Amino acid sequence: MMKKITFIAKIIGVFMFLFCNHSIKAQVFSLGAKYDKAAMFQASFNVPVLFDKYKPYDFAFGLDYTSPNAKAPSGLQPQFTAMYFLVDDKYKSYNISAGITSGYLFDFNKEFNNQFRVSPYVYTEVFPFTIKVGHEYVMPLNQGQFFISIGIGGGYLFRHFSIM
């Protein structure tokens, strides 16, 4: 158990080192609940690569944590996300994007092994609330399930933030 915690701490350390060495323009986070065969606590932290209001797309590196769940794979997942903004305007108080997230899940359950996951999704942000609906495909199990995630956080609306 201690080796597993040390390994996860090293992965988090590498991500933090990479993020802190570059000028971070934004940190997009969410805390909330995810329903994937059962309710779980979810926390995610993503750092957008571009964060440019003139481009309708972006990429992000991040970490996602879901609390243990005996019915579905859950744990800590370093991830990469590619997204395209469907509704994104400085005159709107919300945005909608579609994207895909992929990463390697370090599963905290005894029922499942660590695994590679791919998740296409639709994301809506109305600050301070976020809603994410998608389909999680788990490679080793060769199956997927739909999920819905509701949280507090966000940050993509700050792409259009200006004082004047």
Side-chain angles (χ1 to χ4, degrees), residues 138-158:
V138 181
M139 297 276 181
L141 300 177
N142 200 22
Q143 65 182 11
Q145 56 266 359
F146 287 96
F147 70 88
I148 183 166
S149 175
I150 300 171
I152 296 175
Y156 285 109
L157 285 174
F158 288 112

Side-chain angles (χ1 to χ4, degrees), residues 42 69 94 101:
Q42 180 182 26
N69 179 354
Y94 66 94
T101 297

Side-chain angles (χ1 to χ4, degrees), residues 94-107:
Y94 66 94
N95 70 14
I96 300 172
S97 67
I100 189 163
T101 297
S102 63
Y104 190 77
L105 177 70
F106 296 97
D107 205 312

Side-chain angles (χ1 to χ4, degrees), residues 33-54:
K34 179 178 181 180
Y35 187 82
D36 187 348
K37 292 188 179 181
M40 313 178 247
F41 168 76
Q42 180 182 26
S44 62
F45 176 78
N46 293 292
V47 177
V49 175
L50 302 174
F51 211 68
D52 186 351
K53 64 183 173 184
Y54 300 111

